[in-house]
Amino acid sequence: MHSIILETSLQQEMNLPVLEPGAVSEFLQELPQKALGLGIRIVLAVIVFLIGVQIIKLLRRILKKSLKRANADVGVIQFLDSLTKAVLYVVLVFMIASGFGVDAAGIVALLGSAGVAIGLAIQGSLSNFAGGVLILLLKPFKVGDYIKEDNGGNEGTVSEIQLFYTKLTTPDNRVIILPNGTLANTSMTNVTQADERRLDIFVGIAYDSDIGKAKETLTGMLKEDSATLKEKEMFVFVDSLADSSIQLGIRCWVKKEDYWEAKWRLTENTKYALDAAKIVIPFPQVDVHQVP
């Protein structure tokens, strides 16, 4: 009895909270019930999360099908799908947090008060998001276009336009990921936006060759090729007088999907046509004169 009185007086002198004699036992008695309640909340939260994930997937499928029926651009579908996914997951997390007694309004207020700091921390991501919106609105390119961006010299076919970045697939099947902010604020070349492309090939012939015959031979080659557009300009011209040869330019138009095959084929056929016409393609040469 004296020890209990002494312990209580010491707690009062040190300003420590005085525990009631039955507080510990009462806490121990309620502990299993509280642990059970917490466990049930955790299980329910997991169930809500799993159900929520399935609902989010269903809503995304409905959204994509609706946009496809409306003939929306593939890039718009990908961008809105990414945005919808992010928003719905944030809503799901808030719902689960509120189930644990967390005040959603308090969280929103806290985020609002820290908005400036968060904005500074994620300004790069916000810039990429804004860049994605500009790309979808202004449409400098779309999924399937072949583009060259001038900032880093990257080029490839646009395969995806996501919330914060765009994916390019190179001809050798590499994937390049570029921030949307960079693409929205740099110059670029859209190689395949137009349906037709001009094709230029240059070849040198010897100075003693017949220019008229060479031009006639190469013009005939262009007319015989199946990929050249016969209704568009098609001609051969003298481009320059180089040190060792006369540079001829070969110009025609082809469909964008035929460009590379036509270029490779016409380059090869140029050599065959000039050989058949006995027109020499000279090697670079230097005349050396010996002074006696």
Side-chain angles (χ1 to χ4, degrees), residues 204-226:
I205 63 172
Y207 268 96
D208 56 358
S209 297
D210 187 337
I211 296 177
K213 184 179 180 181
K215 293 172 67 175
E216 182 180 353
T217 299
L218 296 176
T219 301
M221 177 199 67
L222 292 177
K223 291 179 178 179
E224 292 175 0
D225 194 272
S226 59

Side-chain angles (χ1 to χ4, degrees), residues 137-278:
L137 290 177
L138 302 178
K139 294 184 178 179
F141 59 84
K142 62 182 184 297
V143 173
D145 285 347
Y146 190 96
I147 64 171
K148 298 179 180 179
E149 62 92 12
D150 297 335
N151 186 44
N154 297 295
E155 60 181 274
T157 302
V158 180
S159 57
E160 291 184 30
I161 303 175
Q162 292 290 341
L163 199 61
F164 299 107
Y165 58 84
T166 293
K167 286 185 179 180
L168 305 182
T169 303
T170 63
D172 57 349
N173 211 30
R174 290 178 293 121
V175 176
I176 301 175
I177 300 175
L178 297 174
N180 287 336
T182 300
L183 290 175
N185 292 285
T186 188
S187 58
M188 71 178 66
T189 303
N190 191 327
V191 178
T192 57
Q193 188 172 44
D195 294 330
E196 301 168 353
R197 290 187 63 183
R198 195 184 75 187
L199 193 157
D200 291 321
I201 299 173
F202 297 92
V203 62
I205 63 172
Y207 268 96
D208 56 358
S209 297
D210 187 337
I211 296 177
K213 184 179 180 181
K215 293 172 67 175
E216 182 180 353
T217 299
L218 296 176
T219 301
M221 177 199 67
L222 292 177
K223 291 179 178 179
E224 292 175 0
D225 194 272
S226 59
T228 58
L229 300 177
K230 307 304 186 289
E231 66 277 10
K232 304 283 285 188
E233 63 175 352
M234 181 191 308
F235 59 93
V236 180
F237 55 93
V238 176
D239 182 67
S240 65
L241 302 176
D243 294 336
S244 303
S245 64
I246 300 172
Q247 291 293 314
L248 298 182
I250 306 169
R251 177 167 295 173
C252 62
W253 289 79
V254 297
K255 294 288 186 182
K256 64 180 181 181
E257 59 269 18
D258 298 332
Y259 179 83
W260 287 109
E261 289 187 5
K263 181 178 177 63
W264 298 329
R265 183 174 59 252
L266 288 172
T267 301
E268 182 177 348
N269 289 341
T270 295
K271 174 67 166 63
Y272 296 150
L274 292 177
D275 286 347
K278 307 298 183 181

Side-chain angles (χ1 to χ4, degrees), residues 16-58:
L16 296 175
V18 179
L19 296 176
E20 296 294 333
V24 176
S25 59
E26 182 180 353
F27 172 77
L28 294 176
Q29 290 176 358
E30 294 177 354
L31 183 60
Q33 183 178 359
K34 291 181 178 180
L36 178 62
L38 179 61
I40 292 174
R41 285 188 177 185
I42 293 175
V43 172
L44 289 176
V46 173
I47 294 174
V48 170
F49 179 78
L50 295 176
I51 294 175
V53 168
Q54 298 304 317
I55 293 175
I56 290 173
K57 290 181 179 179
L58 176 62

Side-chain angles (χ1 to χ4, degrees), residues 18-148:
V18 179
L19 296 176
E20 296 294 333
V24 176
S25 59
E26 182 180 353
F27 172 77
L28 294 176
Q29 290 176 358
E30 294 177 354
L31 183 60
Q33 183 178 359
K34 291 181 178 180
L36 178 62
L38 179 61
I40 292 174
R41 285 188 177 185
I42 293 175
V43 172
L44 289 176
V46 173
I47 294 174
V48 170
F49 179 78
L50 295 176
I51 294 175
V53 168
Q54 298 304 317
I55 293 175
I56 290 173
K57 290 181 179 179
L58 176 62
L59 292 176
R60 289 173 61 196
R61 283 198 296 268
I62 294 173
L63 175 65
K64 286 190 283 189
K65 287 181 179 179
S66 300
L67 291 172
K68 287 179 180 178
R69 282 197 297 267
N71 294 323
D73 186 75
V74 177
V76 175
I77 295 174
Q78 293 173 346
F79 185 86
L80 291 179
D81 178 57
S82 300
L83 179 61
T84 302
K85 178 181 177 181
V87 172
L88 290 178
Y89 269 106
V90 170
V91 172
L92 179 60
V93 170
F94 271 98
M95 290 176 59
I96 294 174
S98 62
F100 281 90
V102 179
D103 186 9
I107 296 177
V108 173
L110 179 61
L111 292 177
S113 62
V116 175
I118 294 174
L120 292 174
I122 62 172
Q123 58 181 344
S125 297
L126 293 177
S127 174
N128 292 333
F129 175 77
V133 174
L134 288 175
I135 289 171
L136 294 179
L137 290 177
L138 302 178
K139 294 184 178 179
F141 59 84
K142 62 182 184 297
V143 173
D145 285 347
Y146 190 96
I147 64 171
K148 298 179 180 179

